[in-house]
Amino acid sequence: MLGDSKLFEKKYQRRVITVLRNHSPLSEEGMTDDDILRIHGIRTYSQTLEWKGPLVYRIGEGGEIDTSLNVFGTVLNAQTLEHAGPVSLPGIRRIMLIENKANYESVPYREDTLYVYCHVFFSPKELRFLGGLRKAADGGTEYLHWGDMDLGGIRIFFYNQRKLFPELKPYRMDRDAYENAIAAGAGIPLAKEKRERLERMEAGSLNGLKSCILEKGLEIEQESLLPQSV
């Protein structure tokens, strides 16, 4: 114990982040300081996992908990997340990761879709829990990711595809979605440093989006897109 609850933040946090950012295999380019701490299990009590949809989970050897009635969302805190695991996904045909909180909150509910609030990079506890979804899901389940149309959104998509769902596909992150957002007046100027990083990035299935961002010099945050039935 450090004694002073603020001692880590005042004296050690910056040095710890620097070491983890430069030497840990878990750290990736584009992660914020909070991301670095989160994925290494630091500040675990602030970790939560949120979803909307009929997911059945179990805590330890206890009974099963069905969240199908929580149409406005279910939240697991850090301790629960550590001991819980998915059991089944009754009626679920699609699992959608949503990066922006406002869009996650307001997206119209569908009984066949599990909506998971993605925030930024998932922590190890979240990855462990969410990794169990593939075992609980039916073979024909579709995996989607809806995120910002910017450098960070592209990175988070590929992180989730690599760490969680190899079948993950982008949702509303293509050329049409980008151009519609620009036509509606959305867009934030692309900083020079981010442009250079984006030019070096291998964007794979999001190469069309990457090209749009570089051509227009504008990034699109997800909250600029009005939620619709998904």
Side-chain angles (χ1 to χ4, degrees), residues 95-113:
I95 296 175
M96 176 176 286
L97 308 179
I98 302 179
E99 184 181 338
N100 179 265
K101 185 62 176 289
N103 289 53
Y104 164 77
E105 292 280 1
S106 57
V107 68
Y109 182 80
R110 278 180 46 162
E111 293 183 351
D112 68 346
T113 302

Side-chain angles (χ1 to χ4, degrees), residues 61-212:
E61 300 300 321
E64 297 180 358
I65 302 169
D66 184 352
T67 66
S68 59
L69 296 180
N70 293 351
V71 296
F72 301 111
T74 298
V75 181
L76 299 189
N77 65 14
Q79 280 188 297
T80 303
L81 191 57
E82 184 173 352
H83 299 284
V87 175
S88 63
L89 295 164
I92 290 296
R93 308 308 306 166
R94 301 189 304 171
I95 296 175
M96 176 176 286
L97 308 179
I98 302 179
E99 184 181 338
N100 179 265
K101 185 62 176 289
N103 289 53
Y104 164 77
E105 292 280 1
S106 57
V107 68
Y109 182 80
R110 278 180 46 162
E111 293 183 351
D112 68 346
T113 302
L114 183 72
Y115 304 97
V116 181
Y117 174 45
C118 174
H119 57 86
V120 281
F121 295 92
F122 287 121
S123 69
K125 290 180 181 179
E126 292 170 306
L127 290 174
R128 183 193 63 79
F129 185 96
L130 293 172
L133 296 181
R134 293 188 76 236
K135 296 179 181 179
D138 292 337
T141 300
E142 185 178 19
Y143 299 87
L144 302 171
H145 176 95
W146 185 16
D148 292 338
M149 289 188 282
D150 61 11
L151 177 63
I154 294 174
R155 281 177 173 149
I156 292 171
F157 168 79
F158 285 114
Y159 181 85
N160 290 335
Q161 187 181 63
R162 187 171 67 255
K163 296 286 187 177
L164 282 174
F165 309 127
E167 313 93 331
L168 192 65
K169 299 177 182 178
Y171 174 81
R172 296 183 73 184
M173 298 178 71
D174 57 9
R175 182 176 290 273
D176 286 344
Y178 181 91
E179 292 180 348
N180 288 339
I182 292 294
I188 299 173
L190 178 65
K192 179 182 178 181
E193 181 180 342
K194 295 181 74 174
R195 171 180 285 276
E196 293 172 351
R197 292 179 180 178
L198 187 59
E199 288 173 340
R200 295 194 301 268
M201 174 184 287
E202 173 54 55
S205 59
L206 290 176
N207 194 58
L209 173 60
K210 169 185 172 178
S211 297
C212 286

Side-chain angles (χ1 to χ4, degrees), residues 40-60:
H40 290 90
I42 302 174
R43 294 182 178 174
T44 57
Y45 294 109
S46 66
Q47 291 178 19
T48 59
L49 178 64
E50 303 184 40
W51 72 81
K52 293 191 289 188
L55 188 160
V56 178
Y57 70 96
R58 179 184 291 116
I59 301 175

